[in-house]
Amino acid sequence: MDTAQVLCLGELLFDCLADRAGLPYEQVTSWTQYPGGAPANVACGLVKLGTSSAFLGSVGSDEVGNALVKVLETAGVDIQGVQRHSTAPTRQVYVVRSYSGDRYFAGFGDRECSDFADAYLNGDLLPIELFRDAQYLVLGTLELAYPQTEQAIRRALELANEYYLKLVVDVNWRPRFWPDPERAKPLIYDLLGQVDFVKLSVEEAQFFFETTDPAAIRDRLPDLEGVAITAGDGPLHYAIGEGEGILPAFTVDVKDTTGAGDAFVAGWVRQLCRYGISALESPQKVKETIVYASAVSALTATEFGAMAAQPTSEQVEQFLQEEGIAIEG
């Protein structure tokens, strides 16, 4: 296996997607399981696009955990950073969806949000050798909700700084994951003050920064090199390096938006790895990076399942050609 260029730390879980659209949680009678978890989705998406990755996270010592780890291993993701908790179960999330394909988190069945194995990642067991060889560390914010995994994130940040990894955060704000949502803002602000690139939805940008101007957000956090703000089927705004702009969303037949944001992050980091940081000095290269990431996201929304729907690099290139866009894949 190639040395992982990108480390993805956070949750690995099953999204239990309602089989029928348009129903509230209480009326759903059947669900289909899809492997998920935002950082795990990014790890798989990167490998599919041709960039090596490793996943760091904790799952239960149960059949659900076994199945998910097997999914990562089969996809080609480095799994040496996966921890197995002896008693806490692997997380499963129930997701309802609208007729238009938008999804909404409905909770964790009969368990509390802090009951699951991903809340107990041990920072002392993070494989240091992975950090020595990687270029990027990708994080979400959900695991800040749990004290032990919060400490593991802080240890990962120490290692990333020690070995000069660039840091990418997808805010991925999900209040249901927080036992005390009031703790979220200061913890997330603190994390964002330490990273290089941030992806937010337009709702997250408004909630956390009271603006949807990516340049204004970047100016507020002086260490940031880039901010991308997605808006579903609306235009994407970005301020990354020397490039700033607005891009319309690709028009596709949407079936399931689960994992579309994670796919965007995978496409973004994929191109950062390919082009190198020096490409941030070129507005055209920055734009090409974001166009590519948007195409990865759009294609992921055309099928069910965050991981299963992720495109290959060849599929992205073909899609862009059909759209009349020529960029380096």
Side-chain angles (χ1 to χ4, degrees):
M1 179 180 290
D2 294 337
T3 299
Q5 291 179 267
V6 183
L7 312 182
C8 301
L9 186 153
E11 66 277 6
L12 172 62
L13 50 79
F14 269 116
D15 288 314
C16 301
L17 188 65
D19 288 330
R20 286 187 59 189
L23 293 179
Y25 172 78
E26 295 78 12
Q27 295 180 22
V28 177
T29 57
S30 63
W31 310 80
T32 299
Q33 290 183 326
Y34 293 98
N41 292 339
V42 175
C44 288
L46 283 162
V47 172
K48 251 188 166 177
L49 294 170
T51 298
S52 56
S53 72
F55 176 75
L56 312 175
S58 178
V59 296
S61 298
D62 48 25
E63 288 304 312
V64 177
N66 293 341
L68 287 168
V69 173
K70 185 64 175 178
V71 168
L72 295 187
E73 189 174 25
T74 300
V77 175
D78 188 320
I79 59 170
Q80 64 179 297
V82 176
Q83 300 175 21
R84 307 299 295 267
H85 197 278
S86 60
T87 57
T90 303
R91 189 181 299 273
Q92 298 186 74
V93 182
Y94 291 89
V95 182
V96 296
R97 56 194 176 92
S98 68
Y99 290 113
S100 62
D102 290 326
R103 81 283 185 270
Y104 305 92
F105 290 93
F108 309 101
D110 58 356
R111 291 185 175 271
E112 298 297 323
C113 60
S114 58
D115 288 347
F116 298 94
D118 57 275
Y120 299 99
L121 183 65
N122 187 338
D124 293 334
L125 300 180
L126 296 177
I128 295 175
E129 61 272 16
L130 288 177
F131 288 83
R132 291 195 184 113
D133 298 323
Q135 298 178 41
Y136 287 86
L137 171 63
V138 176
L139 299 162
T141 66
L142 301 185
E143 306 308 315
L144 290 173
Y146 314 112
Q148 183 166 318
T149 301
E150 178 195 344
Q151 292 304 312
I153 289 173
R154 298 195 185 284
R155 174 57 177 157
L157 292 174
E158 291 174 359
L159 291 170
N161 289 327
E162 181 177 352
Y163 293 106
Y164 305 104
L165 277 66
K166 291 290 186 180
L167 301 170
V168 182
V169 165
D170 180 357
V171 170
N172 199 26
W173 170 236
R174 300 286 184 266
R176 283 184 178 273
F177 279 76
W178 289 77
D180 181 7
E182 295 299 319
R183 296 181 61 245
K185 274 193 174 182
L187 289 173
I188 291 173
Y189 285 141
D190 179 67
L191 175 62
L192 297 184
Q194 302 178 61
V195 306
D196 301 286
F197 302 97
V198 172
K199 180 260 178 191
L200 307 106
S201 69
V202 66
E203 295 85 3
E204 290 164 348
Q206 191 64 49
F207 179 72
F208 286 101
F209 296 100
E210 298 181 345
T211 179
T212 56
D213 180 349
I217 294 172
R218 183 175 61 178
D219 291 345
R220 204 176 300 181
L221 299 169
D223 290 338
L224 274 182
E225 298 182 55
V227 177
I229 300 177
T230 59
D233 59 0
L236 180 148
H237 294 66
Y238 68 92
I240 302 168
E242 296 300 315
E244 294 186 27
I246 302 172
L247 291 175
F250 289 105
T251 300
V252 295
D253 181 15
V254 174
K255 292 184 179 177
D256 177 21
T257 60
T258 306
D262 309 327
F264 177 89
V265 174
W268 185 6
V269 176
R270 153 75 170 173
Q271 295 303 79
L272 286 172
C273 289
R274 283 182 62 87
Y275 289 160
I277 289 297
S278 62
L280 298 182
E281 299 173 5
S282 165
Q284 180 59 31
K285 282 296 185 186
V286 170
K287 180 178 180 180
E288 289 182 6
T289 295
I290 295 303
V291 168
Y292 184 92
S294 296
V296 177
S297 177
L299 287 171
T300 299
T302 63
E303 299 294 341
F304 290 105
M307 292 182 186
Q310 292 166 336
T312 64
S313 185
E314 292 77 16
Q315 289 170 324
V316 177
E317 291 168 12
Q318 180 181 349
F319 175 77
L320 290 171
Q321 288 174 3
E322 293 171 353
E323 294 286 324
I325 299 171
I327 66 174
E328 182 180 346

